[in-house]
Amino acid sequence: MRRILLNDITLRDGEQSPGVNFFPEEKLEIARQLVNMNVPIIEAGFAVASESDFQGVNRIAMELGSPDGPTICSMARAHKRDIECAYEALRPAAKPRIQVVLATSDLHLEYKLNLTREQVIDLTRETVAFARSLVEDVEFAAEDATRSDLDFLCSVFTVAGESGARTLEIPDTVGYSIPTEYASIVKTVLAKVAGVKDMVVSTHCHDDLGLATANTLAGLAAGAGQAECTINGIGERAGNASMEEVVMALKTRPTQFGVQADINTKAILETSKLVEALSRMRVAPNKAIVGENAFKHESGIHQHGMLCNSETYQIIEPETVGARKFDLMLGKLSGKHALRTKIMELSLDIGPQDFDKVYLSFKDLSAKKKMIVDDDIVNLVNRIVG
Ligand code: MN
């Protein structure tokens, strides 16, 4: 099994979610939780963006950037001042990483940067070499890589590598790619970029088409050695690849990908809840892995199966991600097995004849009420038995 790295970018790309602003002490709190999860790389922010961003990166570098702690990263545009600022913020970290970002698509070159391809090559060489003169660990990100000319992308990556970049990131900045295409871009980069064998290729996928996790997994299976993800999938627009989805897909179906990530999955739910609270972005109930309903079963057919053997309808043990064991939700689709189990769980004493009466009242109530809670069952039983 090939080991892959995860770069958690919740504090940088995640913070770019509309309406999200993490204060430095909140960033530190989230970063501590990421350390509990054993995340090897934490992208702590974009140091030059504001004083608060600088402080966020700096405090994480100071408090968590020990030699046996994670790599701490700051983003920088391909400007000297950005890179110097990232370096200053990262100074206390034992393992600092500067990520230099420069767009490579003709669309961005023409309308945003007003640069020719030759100028992009020169700027890549200068800025990556400058970052490398300050720190050992430099990541180069080719913004809008998936809409860039592939030969040009490989030329830029070759120059970045020659100038000292150790990680080459392929951002699907606008969430435009699909799994087969993203995998083929990764394979082309691995085949064509000079010296790539000594570097790590990284995924960075957005969810505009709902494919961020799928693209990330396709990239990893195709040979990428690092994935950039956010907790709860927060990020610009529709967000980024979700850390919990990528990690649990790798853990649940290891042979399909041939890679492993050493993440403490038991800390996933706690981390998700912290990010949900501090970002004020509610996790949808049906969100994979961390949604409130992710391990709930309501239909009678499923509940019966779950009570016989949880593998019938469950592919992940809830405890694996720090969630409570199988939660029996009673509703209009629940049957006798579930009701009997719930009555036992609640330690209510009831004979077989009374049970049939309770069952009928339960069916009656569940047709009228949106959600049945434990107290409803206690009341039903007391009314019939008492
Ligand atoms: Mn992004």
Side-chain angles (χ1 to χ4, degrees):
M1 290 280 246
R2 191 159 54 85
R3 270 207 177 159
I4 58 120
L5 296 167
L6 286 161
N7 180 2
D8 184 281
I9 56 173
T10 307
L11 303 176
R12 203 275 299 162
D13 216 326
E15 199 190 25
Q16 289 174 217
S17 306
V20 174
N21 177 14
F22 295 128
F23 301 130
E25 58 274 23
E26 294 177 330
K27 282 198 169 186
L28 194 55
E29 209 181 330
I30 293 171
R32 280 197 200 103
Q33 193 56 39
L34 294 172
V35 171
N36 282 345
M37 273 179 68
N38 200 30
V39 171
I41 307 157
I42 297 174
E43 193 164 310
F46 179 26
V48 82
S50 70
E51 181 55 28
S52 164
D53 283 75
F54 184 94
Q55 287 302 328
V57 176
N58 192 239
R59 287 188 58 183
I60 290 170
M62 211 172 325
E63 298 200 27
L64 301 171
S66 62
D68 56 350
T71 294
I72 312 293
C73 174
S74 171
M75 191 179 95
R77 287 166 301 184
H79 295 313
K80 207 171 168 212
R81 195 172 81 86
D82 276 36
I83 294 167
E84 279 170 341
C85 189
Y87 172 66
E88 281 306 319
L90 290 168
R91 226 186 238 274
K95 291 182 279 180
R97 170 182 292 192
I98 296 175
Q99 185 195 120
V100 178
V101 180
L102 182 58
T104 49
S105 68
D106 289 335
L107 194 66
H108 280 237
L109 264 57
E110 185 177 344
Y111 294 100
K112 190 184 81 174
L113 298 173
N114 201 17
L115 292 173
T116 64
R117 287 188 177 186
E118 291 68 33
Q119 287 172 313
V120 166
I121 294 273
D122 290 343
L123 199 52
T124 301
R125 187 178 293 112
E126 280 164 34
T127 53
V128 170
F130 179 60
R132 185 59 199 264
S133 72
L134 302 172
V135 296
E136 292 272 295
D137 187 352
V138 176
E139 172 168 338
F140 176 79
E143 192 185 4
D144 207 19
T146 54
R147 292 192 300 170
S148 302
D149 176 84
L150 204 44
D151 283 335
F152 178 61
L153 178 69
C154 290
S155 308
V156 175
F157 276 159
T158 298
V159 168
E162 286 165 359
S163 311
R166 284 181 173 181
T167 305
L168 302 175
E169 178 196 325
I170 307 174
D172 184 25
T173 305
V174 290
Y176 177 71
S177 204
I178 61 167
T180 44
E181 179 190 58
Y182 195 76
S184 124
I185 296 173
V186 170
K187 282 183 188 155
T188 305
V189 166
L190 285 168
K192 289 198 175 165
V193 172
V196 74
K197 297 278 171 290
D198 300 319
M199 294 180 261
V200 173
V201 169
S202 180
T203 68
H204 178 113
C205 299
H206 278 268
D207 210 31
D208 298 70
L209 294 173
L211 294 171
T213 297
N215 287 341
T216 301
L217 294 169
L220 291 172
Q226 176 184 290
E228 300 195 346
C229 304
T230 63
I231 302 296
N232 298 342
I234 67 169
E236 289 269 9
R237 306 179 311 279
N240 286 73
S242 133
M243 177 68 86
E244 59 277 10
E245 291 175 15
V246 170
V247 166
M248 291 313 295
L250 296 180
K251 193 177 166 82
T252 309
R253 305 299 305 277
T255 56
Q256 294 296 307
F257 303 104
V259 302
Q260 72 177 74
D262 297 322
I263 295 293
N264 168 22
T265 60
K266 285 191 171 10
I268 284 178
L269 194 62
E270 206 183 334
T271 313
S272 162
K273 295 229 176 284
L274 180 66
V275 170
E276 180 180 39
L278 297 180
S279 66
R280 302 191 181 167
M281 283 179 76
R282 281 275 297 154
V283 171
N286 62 334
K287 166 82 175 64
I289 317 296
V290 293
E292 203 185 317
N293 293 351
F295 301 106
K296 282 183 180 163
H297 305 263
E298 192 172 304
S299 95
I301 298 167
H302 289 216
Q303 288 183 340
H304 180 201
M306 285 295 295
L307 293 169
C308 299
N309 179 341
S310 65
E311 282 182 34
T312 51
Y313 289 102
Q314 187 165 269
I315 57 164
I316 297 166
E317 291 278 346
E319 296 94 323
T320 316
V321 298
R324 271 203 310 158
K325 212 172 150 54
F326 164 43
D327 212 351
L328 199 61
M329 280 293 293
L330 293 183
K332 66 174 181 182
L333 300 175
S334 305
K336 288 188 178 180
H337 284 97
L339 182 65
R340 194 171 283 120
T341 306
K342 180 58 89 181
I343 288 173
M344 273 158 56
E345 266 178 28
L346 295 169
S347 315
L348 298 167
D349 201 13
I350 187 169
Q353 277 178 353
D354 283 340
F355 178 80
D356 287 340
K357 285 185 202 157
V358 172
Y359 181 67
L360 288 175
S361 326
F362 160 72
K363 283 308 240 190
D364 194 39
L365 181 68
S366 62
K368 295 175 197 149
K369 208 167 172 257
K370 288 273 187 205
M371 206 167 93
I372 305 289
V373 296
D374 288 358
D375 277 351
D376 292 323
I377 304 301
V378 174
N379 290 338
L380 282 180
V381 169
N382 285 344
R383 205 163 357 116
I384 283 159
V385 180

